[in-house]
Amino acid sequence: MPTQSMSRSEILADYGPIAGFRDAGPRQRIAAGMPAGTVTDDTEQAVLLAGLLIEGRGHVDPRVFAARLLDWEQGMRARGSLDLLGPSTTAALRSLTDGESPLTSGRFGSTNGAAMRIAPVGIAFGLEPLGAFVDAVTEANLVTHNTTLGIGSAAAVGAAVSAGIAGATLTGAITAAVTAAAEGERRGHWVAGASIAARIRWAVGHLTGLPEDNQADAVCALIGTSVAAQESVVAALALAAVSRDPWRTLCLVAGLGGDTDTIAAICGAVLGSVHGLRAWPTAELDALRLVNDLDLAPLVDGLLELRRERRG
């Protein structure tokens, strides 16, 4: 939260090395004045999607999703937050409001908005058969990110989470991400951009060959940390792949600059699915629960029940 959309040098100047939750600093405009541990739009939208999945017994009605997103944004504005809908989602919802079909409203959505909120699908759906899993990812993002990059990036994150829930190692989760990304990139409207699957493979290989102290520099210089799916989503998965300590990895992500809250949300979802709650310091978990009005346990139970139903 405190470092989102800031440059790496600004983050270092305002906060120093990140080692835990921090209050929003003087140059944080999006979440100005927010206390340490406050979640951002990534978590808020993931919670919204989780509720819709449970209500729809695994299905997401695109028009209901659109209405809930618009209501959510109004609530954020009322709270004085500038942490609002991203560019792809905003454009898609405007088109839908103007009468466009949900089948085409997301035809330009190629940023990371789908991937940042997709974790609930990974919890609710197993990976087999892969086609059915990617169908669920596509349905959840149809209205805003119905593109090769949008679906491919969301499928990658969702698959890594699903694999982790099923007991996969970190290597297995990233392998699942690459496979699902390749399948996802066959869906939706084509948009120009490098393959998510290919970039994940390359980025993981590149970071693996570097000393740990040089990995952050490589992410900023070569992978990128912008809202583009082929930057932030790839960076998150590559950093998860080489993580030796989940919490230290998220602190590193928070200092990268750019779309830090989304990269951390994705990276944390994958590492959390593999390692469980033991990955996170107890004090930080307590702060998260105290600061935010989030009742996550019923959502988790509902999503896991959907997963059990499909397993038969």
Side-chain angles (χ1 to χ4, degrees):
M1 174 276 294
T3 65
Q4 59 183 317
S5 298
M6 294 173 64
S7 72
R8 199 175 178 192
S9 60
E10 288 174 335
I11 293 169
L12 190 60
D14 285 4
Y15 305 104
I18 302 293
F21 291 149
R22 302 289 297 272
D23 294 334
R27 279 183 277 199
Q28 178 46 246
R29 298 290 179 256
I30 295 174
M34 295 293 179
T38 304
V39 299
T40 70
D41 60 320
D42 305 72
T43 299
E44 297 255 8
Q45 289 189 38
V47 167
L48 189 156
L49 176 57
L52 285 173
L53 283 166
I54 294 168
E55 288 177 27
R57 306 311 302 162
H59 294 286
V60 177
D61 183 297
R63 292 195 181 276
V64 174
F65 192 19
R68 297 281 178 88
L69 284 171
L70 290 170
D71 288 344
W72 168 82
E73 185 174 57
Q74 288 303 311
M76 293 293 277
R77 289 185 190 279
R79 283 184 273 169
S81 175
L82 296 178
D83 214 349
L84 306 174
L85 296 170
S88 293
T89 300
T90 298
L93 295 183
R94 186 182 301 117
S95 296
L96 196 67
T97 302
D98 290 342
E100 187 162 353
S101 165
L103 297 177
T104 58
S105 59
R107 68 190 185 283
F108 301 119
S110 61
T111 50
N112 59 21
M116 77 179 194
R117 64 189 180 219
I118 201 64
V121 173
I123 300 171
F125 291 85
L127 283 175
E128 299 298 334
L130 182 61
F133 177 83
V134 178
D135 285 345
V137 170
T138 303
E139 183 182 74
N141 297 293
L142 182 71
V143 70
T144 61
H145 292 78
N146 187 14
T147 66
T148 49
L149 292 179
I151 297 169
S153 60
V157 177
V161 170
S162 183
I165 294 292
T169 63
L170 197 48
T171 298
I174 299 302
T175 298
V178 173
T179 302
E183 176 64 25
E185 288 172 324
R186 300 188 182 98
R187 315 293 181 91
H189 296 264
W190 179 85
V191 289
S195 163
I196 299 293
R199 276 184 59 80
I200 295 169
R201 279 194 299 267
W202 164 76
V204 171
H206 185 71
L207 293 191
T208 300
L210 294 176
E212 189 176 8
D213 290 344
N214 296 343
Q215 289 171 349
D217 290 338
V219 168
C220 293
L222 296 174
I223 301 173
T225 60
S226 77
V227 298
Q230 61 268 46
E231 290 195 6
S232 47
V233 176
V234 172
L237 290 168
L239 285 167
V242 299
S243 174
R244 298 179 183 177
D245 179 298
W247 182 245
R248 192 171 72 201
T249 297
L250 294 197
C251 290
L252 179 149
V253 167
L256 289 176
D259 201 2
T260 54
D261 62 321
T262 292
I263 300 173
I266 293 171
C267 192
V270 174
L271 292 173
S273 71
V274 171
H275 296 292
L277 280 176
R278 67 181 182 277
W280 317 124
T282 301
E284 306 296 336
L285 287 174
D286 290 343
L288 190 72
R289 295 179 178 120
L290 180 67
V291 171
N292 301 283
D293 184 21
L294 293 173
D295 190 8
L296 297 179
L299 290 177
V300 173
D301 290 343
L303 294 171
L304 289 174
E305 179 60 30
L306 290 175
R307 190 183 185 103
R308 286 190 290 269
E309 288 175 1
R310 278 160 176 75
R311 194 166 56 213

